[in-house]
Amino acid sequence: MMHILITDDENFIREGIKRTVENAFPDFNVHLAASAEEAVELMSRHRMDIVLTDILMPGINGLELMKISRRKQPQAKWVVISAHSEFSYAQQAVHLGARDYLLKPIGKPKLVELIETLSDEIRQERAHVQEEETLREGLQYLRSAAFQRLAAGLSVGKLSLEPLLEQY
């Protein structure tokens, strides 16, 4: 299941994005935050896959939210939304790792396409992580089996034992 966080101090923006996401992706879990502080609190309780954040909010702004939260949830894909087309904001957002910079009002087709692209990337990344874990477990099993055969004085075939012997 995908978890999406929408952070914006404007209620109608939050609710509008939520409706668009829920209509297009009914199985996604959508979280709402009215401030960066609330977003940080939600992110401490839930692992977010995609975070959409406004830049200009009272208190901590969206760029500061990214700085604070990226270390805790490096897997999250960030999208910055703003009513301002200030190049410096976009530049900072990209520097911090934002995947996109959307201007308000956000077009529904563009938002749906972006969420679809990001969720496909997340699924692929999860599949790669699962494959790596399976390979790691298999390698650990093979090392153990080879070591047991070696310890029992049995043949290990053409398997090179130098790396194994160095490690153990």
Side-chain angles (χ1 to χ4, degrees):
M1 172 180 283
M2 294 282 173
H3 287 267
I4 296 182
L5 173 61
I6 302 162
T7 306
D8 198 304
D9 59 320
E10 297 177 70
N11 186 50
F12 70 95
I13 299 282
R14 279 193 317 273
E15 291 296 333
I17 295 172
K18 179 182 179 182
R19 265 192 313 279
T20 300
V21 171
E22 287 180 337
N23 287 338
F25 310 97
D27 56 332
F28 285 16
N29 196 342
V30 179
H31 306 267
L32 299 178
S35 67
E37 291 84 357
E38 192 177 337
V40 168
E41 200 276 320
L42 276 168
M43 291 179 83
S44 72
R45 290 188 282 134
H46 302 282
R47 185 178 194 265
M48 298 298 171
D49 297 298
I50 300 171
V51 180
L52 292 100
T53 183
D54 187 15
I55 287 189
L56 297 178
M57 296 181 287
I60 299 172
N61 72 31
L63 297 174
E64 291 166 340
L65 170 62
M66 282 183 73
K67 286 179 192 171
I68 292 167
S69 302
R70 271 188 353 166
R71 282 173 296 188
K72 295 176 185 167
Q73 296 205 26
Q75 81 292 338
K77 310 279 185 202
W78 289 81
V79 177
V80 174
I81 51 179
S82 180
H84 306 279
S85 59
E86 285 283 327
F87 178 71
S88 64
Y89 287 145
Q91 192 175 28
Q92 288 177 51
V94 168
H95 178 72
L96 290 171
R99 294 299 310 276
D100 213 329
Y101 187 92
L102 301 176
L103 290 175
K104 296 177 186 177
I106 302 166
K108 288 180 184 179
K110 168 73 175 158
L111 179 61
V112 169
E113 180 185 330
L114 178 60
I115 299 292
E116 202 166 86
T117 300
L118 294 177
S119 60
D120 285 346
E121 283 180 22
I122 291 165
R123 283 187 201 94
Q124 288 176 0
E125 288 169 5
R126 287 178 180 173
H128 287 301
V129 167
Q130 184 62 46
E131 287 173 12
E132 287 175 6
E133 185 60 32
T134 301
L135 287 172
R136 223 182 334 273
E137 288 173 3
L139 183 59
Q140 189 173 353
Y141 172 77
L142 287 173
R143 283 181 179 153
S144 175
F147 189 74
Q148 287 175 358
R149 288 187 64 84
L150 180 64
L154 299 172
S155 170
V156 290
K158 295 181 180 180
L159 184 64
S160 173
L161 297 176
E162 270 74 42
L164 184 66
L165 292 173
E166 286 175 21
Q167 187 173 3
Y168 293 100

